[in-house]
Amino acid sequence: MKSSHPKLLAENRKARFRFEIIETLEAGLSLSGSEAKSAKTGGMNLGDAYAIVKNRECWLLNCHISPYAYDSMAHMKEPMRSRKLLLKRSEIDRVMGKLKAKGLTLVALDAHISEKGWIKMTLGLAKGKNAPDRKEDIKKRDIERELGGRYKLR
């Protein structure tokens, strides 16, 4: 029996600090067999990963998946290659419209294993924060920590 919550493979912690997340969506990730094994064993890094829409297809860029240690062809695979994101056509069209109209960015927030065992990517439509906004977030977090987490500041 599988658990009801997905297993987190990788997380982009900088994304929520650098960007204001407006909307999130979940996409499948097209990987080769050894890339999937490497990702499931912790070989995925989403440090500066983001997605683009090109020719009505969604692609993940700057995602590093280290070569799988037990793959004989591991030295031939490119760890930083572009990977296709699996979204419905309607979702791609909706996201493409928002990216063009509002000047937003599609940022990779985390990668996880779904209930069925597929590797999924959580993407966020994001707007960049400037330095004063980031400092304000740090102040709020410090105040919440001092209050012992009893109160949430909005």
Side-chain angles (χ1 to χ4, degrees):
M1 181 175 232
K2 302 218 178 205
S3 66
S4 61
H5 52 85
K7 179 186 174 199
L8 195 63
L9 298 176
E11 188 177 15
N12 187 354
R13 293 179 181 213
K14 293 180 190 176
R16 296 199 189 268
F17 180 70
R18 290 182 182 170
F19 299 97
E20 177 186 340
I21 307 301
I22 297 168
E23 180 183 336
T24 61
L25 62 142
E26 188 177 65
L29 192 56
S30 179
L31 299 173
S32 70
S34 63
E35 284 178 329
K37 288 180 182 180
S38 178
K40 287 181 179 183
T41 58
M44 182 184 267
N45 183 3
L46 298 177
D48 292 324
Y50 65 99
I52 61 168
V53 178
K54 185 175 177 183
N55 298 331
R56 293 185 75 184
E57 292 181 335
C58 204
W59 294 89
L60 180 67
L61 305 173
N62 285 351
C63 172
H64 184 277
I65 298 179
S66 15
Y68 187 56
Y70 302 106
D71 183 14
S72 61
M73 301 296 284
H75 64 281
M76 300 185 80
K77 296 203 171 91
E78 181 65 36
M80 290 287 285
R81 73 178 182 87
S82 301
R83 293 170 179 91
K84 191 172 185 177
L85 291 168
L86 307 172
L87 289 166
K88 292 180 181 177
R89 177 74 57 210
S90 59
E91 289 177 321
I92 292 174
D93 291 340
R94 186 175 54 81
V95 166
M96 195 167 56
K98 288 186 179 184
L99 290 175
K100 285 183 181 176
K102 298 181 182 175
L104 302 174
T105 305
L106 199 55
V107 180
L109 299 176
D110 68 44
H112 57 273
I113 299 174
S114 70
E115 292 177 11
K116 293 184 178 181
W118 299 104
I119 295 179
K120 300 280 188 168
M121 181 76 57
T122 304
L123 303 169
L125 274 169
K127 180 182 176 186
K129 287 184 185 177
N130 52 18
D133 292 340
R134 290 187 205 153
K135 287 181 182 178
E136 187 176 317
D137 286 348
I138 292 170
K139 284 180 189 176
K140 283 182 183 177
R141 192 170 53 227
D142 288 345
I143 291 171
E144 284 178 15
R145 189 179 300 129
E146 287 175 10
L147 294 174
R150 291 177 290 208
Y151 303 103
K152 283 277 188 188
L153 299 177
R154 300 270 170 194

